[in-house]
Amino acid sequence: MENQFLVDSEYLSKEALEKKHRLETDPSFRRNHMEYLPDMEIIESDVMDQVMTEMQSYDYSKYTAVDVRRALQHERCTIEDLKALLSPAAEPFLEMMAQKARRETSKHFGNTVYLFTPLYIANYCENYCVYCGFNCYNHIHRMKLNREQIRHEMEVIAKSGMEEILLLTGESKSKSDVKYIGEAVKLARKYFRMVGLEVYPMNTEDYAYLHKCGADYVTVFQETYDTEKYETLHLMGHKRVWPYRFHAQERALRGGMRGVAFSALLGLSDFRKDALATALHVYYLQRKYPQAEMSLSCPRLRPIINNDQIKPLDVGERQLCQVLCAYRIFLPYAGITVSSRESADFRNGIVKIAATKVSAGVSTGIGDHESKYSGEKKKKDTGDEQFEIEDARSFDAMYKDMSQEGLQPVLNDYLYV
Ligand code: SF4
């Protein structure tokens, strides 16, 4: 099979295999990815048009060293400056960009670095995103934690000292319904000061319910803002509907969430255009909701179970660093998260320049924090991982390393009164 993403499994039935192949090869068999499904809320918003107009007209080849120098001299980074900083012309200026980014980071965040951990509570998924280990056609061990198992995992994590948790599920409304997620949030509230969610996009009323249960913020990865490419990578399920996903953060804010987080998965499409769109998505939404806390991250593709060929093709560490510095210079107040997809060396370096938040003690599997934290062999009743991580440092190791780098690890910066 030529496409690096596609994997067949001997465990699929003949019918399932036929449907899978048809989805992969016959675009007319696939649903229109720009059309909402009946249960999806439509909101009035001009943010999508603003972002897409800028992205579609972005020709990064026209920017020169003069534009980059001008951008670096400006006190305030304009959209034109951001475009120059993300262009190939800015690559020779990486050192200057890093110095400017470092000044902005230290002006707004001092020498702090925020630590959190993700907790996957289920890995069922009804979508077919061809690059993801949880996709419904990938043969992995599926699992959903029950209330006691969730509590146990949270106890183990909380004992390590962690105060912020990010709850994740695969995107399956039938296996992980809103009530199930809400109960997990209520439990998390007992153990942690800050609770984030990275689950399927939902309607405003569902976000309002989850906020009432205790969720503080919502993360949604758009994956790519290139709608044509998106169509070829998300072949089935609710996630296929691109505009519904785009407006998820705005619905979350309307539902009362305190914060929202954004990201493109760099390496899926043209990373310069995706980086521009991600930054502008934050920028325009922040202007509309000035009270909201906004952050963005910069994940790159990773290998998955049954496919170790998946790589972020044209996004090396230099390019990633360029994107992060450009984000910081353009959005000086925004949080920037760098996940365990990146190496320890890269994360140690970038937290001193542009990033403000790192994960620690990470497992992308289901129910294996106890074995992970105790160093024991993995138990049998765990669910498989979403992707391979690169930096497996524990909370203690990360805390120590960040302190040794001269940074002040922060576990929580918000108090409810
Ligand atoms: S990326 Fe998300 S929605 Fe897509 S298959 Fe993976 S878990 Fe499911």
Side-chain angles (χ1 to χ4, degrees):
M1 228 174 274
E2 275 174 24
N3 188 326
Q4 60 158 340
F5 296 122
L6 303 180
V7 181
D8 272 347
S9 161
E10 64 206 75
Y11 294 89
L12 291 176
S13 68
K14 189 167 165 281
E15 292 73 30
L17 209 53
E18 270 171 20
K19 184 174 178 196
K20 177 177 178 290
H21 284 172
R22 188 129 186 239
L23 284 165
E24 288 160 1
T25 55
D26 179 0
S28 69
F29 187 61
R30 310 198 283 254
R31 188 193 299 133
N32 181 347
H33 63 296
M34 300 304 281
E35 221 168 71
Y36 281 69
L37 294 172
D39 59 343
M40 293 177 169
E41 177 189 2
I42 300 175
I43 59 169
E44 286 296 319
S45 173
D46 52 359
V47 174
M48 192 166 91
D49 282 348
Q50 291 172 310
V51 172
M52 296 309 282
T53 305
E54 292 288 357
M55 188 191 88
Q56 279 154 2
S57 63
Y58 180 37
D59 174 6
Y60 46 74
S61 66
K62 74 171 205 196
Y63 291 90
T64 65
V66 175
D67 300 313
V68 178
R69 278 206 191 88
R70 191 183 307 121
L72 287 169
Q73 279 161 6
H74 283 165
E75 184 67 25
R76 275 227 170 140
C77 183
T78 64
I79 293 176
E80 263 318 285
D81 293 337
L82 172 66
K83 289 177 177 174
L85 294 177
L86 286 172
S87 73
E91 282 188 9
F93 295 88
L94 197 51
E95 182 56 38
M96 284 168 75
M97 283 178 70
Q99 283 173 15
K100 189 168 171 77
R102 188 199 287 259
R103 283 197 297 276
E104 292 298 338
T105 305
S106 108
K107 210 190 299 171
H108 298 285
F109 296 90
N111 69 338
T112 60
V113 58
Y114 203 97
L115 305 189
F116 77 104
T117 205
L119 172 61
Y120 285 70
I121 56 173
N123 63 3
Y124 288 95
C125 190
E126 289 156 15
N127 295 313
Y128 183 19
C129 312
V130 295
Y131 52 83
C132 173
F134 284 177
N135 86 60
C136 62
Y137 284 123
N138 201 24
H139 182 71
I140 59 167
H141 184 219
R142 305 276 171 179
M143 193 177 171
K144 168 184 163 182
L145 299 181
N146 63 31
R147 192 180 164 78
E148 268 324 296
Q149 290 168 319
I150 295 174
R151 184 199 300 282
H152 185 63
E153 287 279 287
M154 287 177 178
E155 265 171 10
V156 171
I157 295 168
K159 260 194 215 149
S160 74
M162 198 70 85
E163 295 188 14
E164 174 176 335
I165 199 155
L166 173 66
L167 299 178
L168 298 97
T169 61
E171 298 197 11
S172 169
K173 264 190 173 180
S174 57
K175 292 286 186 185
S176 315
D177 62 18
V178 173
K179 183 120 200 310
Y180 170 73
I181 298 169
E183 291 307 305
V185 170
K186 285 182 202 165
L187 268 179
R189 234 1 332 144
K190 295 184 185 166
Y191 292 96
F192 303 97
R193 288 176 190 263
M194 174 90 103
V195 181
L197 286 176
E198 192 173 329
V199 297
Y200 46 86
M202 47 188 74
N203 294 344
T204 304
E205 61 176 3
D206 293 329
Y207 283 126
Y209 167 73
L210 292 175
H211 178 57
K212 227 167 115 196
C213 290
D216 296 287
Y217 70 94
V218 164
T219 295
V220 179
F221 286 10
Q222 188 63 31
E223 317 296 14
T224 175
Y225 289 79
D226 172 350
T227 56
E228 282 177 27
K229 186 74 181 182
Y230 188 95
E231 191 279 332
T232 66
L233 298 171
H234 305 90
L235 304 183
M236 202 180 87
H238 266 59
K239 183 166 175 182
R240 185 159 167 77
V241 183
W242 186 90
Y244 183 68
R245 197 168 189 87
F246 184 98
H247 290 301
Q249 285 91 347
E250 190 159 1
R251 293 194 302 276
L253 292 175
R254 290 181 187 195
M257 291 289 173
R258 211 175 76 223
V260 281
F262 304 74
S263 182
L265 183 50
L266 301 178
L268 284 182
S269 186
D270 186 326
F271 80 90
R272 297 184 197 279
K273 287 192 166 221
D274 268 336
L276 176 77
T278 310
L280 291 178
H281 198 170
V282 175
Y283 172 78
Y284 286 121
L285 217 52
Q286 185 81 79
R287 292 209 315 188
K288 209 166 162 184
Y289 300 88
Q291 82 290 354
E293 291 174 23
M294 306 236 173
S295 65
L296 63 176
S297 54
C298 53
R300 295 189 294 166
L301 277 172
R302 294 287 304 155
I304 62 173
I305 289 178
N306 301 325
N307 190 350
D308 60 5
Q309 298 307 306
I310 295 181
K311 305 260 170 7
L313 294 175
D314 49 357
V315 197
E317 285 194 351
R318 271 186 81 78
Q319 287 77 20
L320 185 60
C321 192
Q322 183 189 353
V323 168
L324 286 165
C325 290
Y327 282 169
R328 170 55 65 227
I329 295 167
F330 181 61
L331 299 164
Y333 300 98
I336 295 181
T337 305
V338 179
S339 83
S340 56
R341 291 170 186 257
E342 301 305 330
S343 68
D345 282 349
F346 183 83
R347 298 216 290 169
N348 287 354
I350 202 70
V351 286
K352 287 185 278 186
I353 298 171
T356 53
K357 192 169 179 177
V358 288
S359 51
V362 176
S363 164
T364 67
I366 317 297
D368 59 2
H369 274 93
E370 183 164 34
S371 47
K372 196 172 174 64
Y373 279 52
S374 65
E376 289 167 9
K377 222 169 138 233
K378 199 169 156 180
K379 284 189 290 184
K380 274 209 182 102
D381 56 341
T382 58
D384 281 339
E385 297 89 4
Q386 186 179 27
F387 55 84
E388 291 176 15
I389 60 171
E390 183 72 27
D391 183 358
R393 275 177 290 178
S394 66
F395 170 71
D396 280 347
M398 183 65 86
Y399 197 101
K400 220 162 97 205
D401 286 356
M402 290 296 114
S403 306
Q404 274 171 5
E405 295 288 341
L407 296 164
Q408 170 64 57
V410 172
L411 305 182
N412 176 49
D413 61 0
Y414 196 88
L415 282 182
Y416 285 96
V417 286

